[in-house]
């Protein structure tokens, strides 16, 4: 085998390996269970995966080219937009935020989003990478827990008996008004 033939064989093997890596990356990107979106400096989606479509309730055609901020609940837009502008400007490298998305059918869901910047070798912003997953059930559970805690506090405050709690170090973490009245502290 000549040197040229060996070089061609090595080049062909390298190209096959690169093609296989690209195929695997594309499959991983597309089949990930979390939403992935590549976003330009103005916040327009350049690319999304199937999970992003499923989570937002929109087709790929509806998402590509549209602003990520247009699907946000109006109360959540400003905070995300501010963080994203800071990311594009290079003031921060990444941020995480929990926010609401208005799905195509009008329903509102909660998502946890992590956004990071992809920059070229010179440090110039190329695109933002937004990774997100739905957390609606968790947010509902958190709200229920807060409501139960509020109810328990009201109940304990209304008791005529002194009630207090301590942590494992003996520090008082809760006491009701009866403790104050009985102890004078």
């Amino acid at each position: 085998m000549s040197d040229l033939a060996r070089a061609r064989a090595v080049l062909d093997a390298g190209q096959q390996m690169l093609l296989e890596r690209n195929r695997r990356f594309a499959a991983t990107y597309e089949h990930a269970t979390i939403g992935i979106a590549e976003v330009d400096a103005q916040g327009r989606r350049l690319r999304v995966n199937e999970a992003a479509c499923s989570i937002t309730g929109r087709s790929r055609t509806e998402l590509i080219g549209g602003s990520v901020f247009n699907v946000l609940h109006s109360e959540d837009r400003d905070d995300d937009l501010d963080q994203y502008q800071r990311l594009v400007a290079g003031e921060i490298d990444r941020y995480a935020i929990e926010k609401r998305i208005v799905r195509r059918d009008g329903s509102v869901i909660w998502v946890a989003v992590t956004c990071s910047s992809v920059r070229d070798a010179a440090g110039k912003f190329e695109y933002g990478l937004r990774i997100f997953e739905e957390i609606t059930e968790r947010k509902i559970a958190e709200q229920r827990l807060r409501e139960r805690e509020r109810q328990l506090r009201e109940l304990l405050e209304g008791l005529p008996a002194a009630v207090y709690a301590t942590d494992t170090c003996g520090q008082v973490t809760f006491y009701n008004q009866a403790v104050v009245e009985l102890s004078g502290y």
Side-chain angles (χ1 to χ4, degrees), residues 27-185:
T28 300
Y29 183 96
E30 190 56 38
H31 297 292
T33 58
I34 57 172
I36 304 172
E38 297 170 23
V39 182
D40 70 12
Q42 289 74 42
R44 291 183 304 255
R45 289 178 215 84
L46 303 170
R47 183 177 176 194
V48 297
N49 70 348
E50 184 58 38
C53 298
S54 178
I55 291 168
T56 62
R58 290 175 169 78
S59 70
R60 196 177 309 259
T61 316
E62 291 173 290
L63 292 176
I64 300 295
S67 171
V68 295
F69 307 108
N70 287 349
V71 298
L72 298 183
H73 189 279
S74 61
E75 294 174 11
D76 297 339
R77 274 189 202 120
D78 290 344
D79 188 33
D80 195 9
L81 179 58
D82 177 59
Q83 294 285 346
Y84 193 70
Q85 288 171 340
R86 292 180 60 217
L87 182 88
V88 171
E91 296 172 18
I92 57 175
D93 292 327
R94 68 184 47 90
Y95 67 93
I97 190 170
E98 292 180 355
K99 61 187 180 177
R100 292 162 290 181
I101 287 179
V102 180
R103 293 174 47 98
R104 178 113 168 66
D105 64 7
S107 61
V108 177
I109 63 168
W110 280 93
V111 291
V113 179
T114 302
C115 189
S116 58
S117 61
V118 176
R119 298 183 177 279
D120 65 16
K124 182 177 182 257
F125 182 87
E126 286 191 40
Y127 60 92
L129 182 62
R130 296 173 76 88
I131 309 292
F132 56 101
E133 65 180 325
E134 183 177 355
I135 58 167
T136 305
E137 291 301 317
R138 188 190 90 202
K139 295 300 270 189
I140 291 169
E142 288 172 354
Q143 179 59 36
R144 286 182 183 149
L145 180 60
R146 281 191 298 276
E147 180 59 24
R148 286 199 171 97
E149 287 174 349
R150 184 193 62 74
Q151 291 170 347
L152 181 59
R153 283 191 183 280
E154 286 178 4
L155 175 69
L156 293 173
E157 277 298 328
L159 290 175
V163 178
Y164 68 95
T166 61
D167 62 17
T168 57
C169 298
Q171 296 290 320
V172 175
T173 58
F174 172 83
Y175 58 89
N176 67 356
Q177 187 61 33
V179 169
V180 174
E181 293 168 4
L182 287 171
S183 67
Y185 292 110

